Amino acid sequence: MGGERWRSLRHHSTFTQFSLSRVLHVLTMDSAAPPGLSLVSVLSLLACSFQVLAAVLLTHRYGGQSSVRDRWILLWLFYDVIVHLTLEGPFVYMSVFGTVQTSEGPLAELWREYSQADSRWLVSDPTIVSIEILTVVLDSLLALLLIYAVLNDKYYRHFLQITLSVCELYGGWMTFCPDWLIGSPHLNTSSWLYLWVYLVFFNGVWVVVPVLLLVQSWFSLKSLHTLGTDNDINRKRK
């Protein structure tokens, strides 16, 4: 009886140890797995959605008389200014007077979330901060002037549109190219959220849209040149 009871206890103990080891293994695998949506990431994406909504409302308020094409451009420009001033502006402030890592508040939490994908934004990387200072000051001013030029059909509209687009593309290039040249040690692509949403989508928008604006300016200037040439020919015939 005692021997059977002893063997039963040993079997139960062995089974318990095996079960615990399996649970620990599963927990370890889960902790090592790429992270998904957290509360902070959901709130950050909601904040970005509110920025888009604000841009839509501003476009509806001020661009109602514009063409469909110009309303899309105005939507982008309003969104561009909102992001530069309400997100990147506070980042510059936190980075100049400290770091995102040591700052407090909702915007610091948002940037700490983004820094999960690119750690340079956490520690006031000189290249990133320099680009963002240029972006917040120059790009915001150019975008505001371009909004005015689009709404009032100013002659300098495409000069501003080309300049702003080139500045945005330059900012994107200088954000990632230096890191790519050294093997991208600061980029975290282990999660679909970090790779496809934070790095590819949110940065890719500032590549695709400026390129489209450059193409639009190209065709608009080409049309103006053709019109001017035709007018010159008609005057000479007279």
Side-chain angles (χ1 to χ4, degrees):
M1 289 287 292
E4 291 180 359
R5 184 177 181 182
W6 173 250
R7 284 194 297 272
S8 176
L9 289 172
R10 286 186 63 188
H11 175 74
H12 178 72
S13 175
T14 302
F15 177 77
T16 302
Q17 292 177 4
F18 175 76
S19 299
L20 288 174
S21 66
R22 290 291 297 171
V23 171
L24 289 173
H25 176 71
V26 171
L27 290 175
T28 303
M29 290 290 290
D30 289 343
S31 63
L37 285 172
S38 64
L39 178 60
V40 176
S41 60
V42 170
L43 293 176
S44 300
L45 294 173
L46 282 175
C48 295
S49 300
F50 286 130
Q51 290 176 324
V52 174
L53 177 60
V56 170
L57 294 176
L58 287 170
T59 303
H60 179 73
R61 170 66 178 81
Y62 294 102
Q65 304 301 317
S66 302
S67 66
V68 174
R69 180 195 61 193
D70 282 348
R71 284 201 296 271
W72 279 107
I73 293 174
L74 288 169
L75 173 62
W76 162 252
L77 293 174
F78 279 122
Y79 177 68
D80 191 41
V81 173
I82 291 170
V83 170
H84 290 336
L85 295 181
T86 65
L87 282 186
E88 292 167 298
F91 168 80
V92 169
Y93 178 84
M94 287 184 282
S95 299
V96 170
F97 295 100
T99 64
V100 168
Q101 189 171 22
T102 58
S103 300
E104 297 180 356
L107 289 175
E109 288 294 332
L110 186 149
W111 281 113
R112 275 194 284 271
E113 172 64 21
Y114 181 79
S115 68
Q116 299 292 324
D118 189 341
S119 61
R120 293 173 297 169
W121 297 78
L122 190 66
V123 294
S124 300
D125 178 85
T127 301
I128 296 295
V129 176
S130 299
I131 294 168
E132 287 304 307
I133 292 173
L134 186 67
T135 298
V136 170
V137 176
L138 180 60
D139 291 5
S140 297
L141 178 60
L142 287 172
L144 288 171
L145 291 174
L146 182 53
I147 289 171
Y148 176 80
V150 172
L151 290 175
N152 294 279
D153 195 24
K154 293 297 183 179
Y155 66 92
Y156 49 80
R157 177 252 178 91
H158 287 288
F159 171 78
L160 291 174
Q161 187 164 306
I162 293 170
T163 304
L164 175 62
S165 298
V166 171
C167 286
E168 300 283 12
L169 292 171
Y170 175 78
W173 176 262
M174 290 305 299
T175 297
F176 289 102
C177 185
D179 205 56
W180 289 336
L181 292 175
I182 58 174
S184 303
H186 302 100
L187 303 185
N188 178 9
T189 59
S190 63
S191 165
W192 65 268
L193 178 66
Y194 299 160
L195 174 59
W196 295 108
V197 180
Y198 292 174
L199 294 176
V200 174
F201 176 74
F202 281 116
N203 290 284
V205 169
W206 267 267
V207 174
V208 174
V209 176
V211 168
L212 291 176
L213 290 179
L214 287 174
V215 171
Q216 193 262 334
S217 290
W218 169 278
F219 284 107
S220 294
L221 293 174
K222 180 181 177 182
S223 298
L224 290 173
H225 176 72
T226 302
L227 180 62
T229 302
D230 291 341
N231 289 336
D232 289 342
I233 293 174
N234 291 332
R235 280 197 298 269
K236 290 178 180 179
R237 287 177 178 176
K238 291 178 181 180

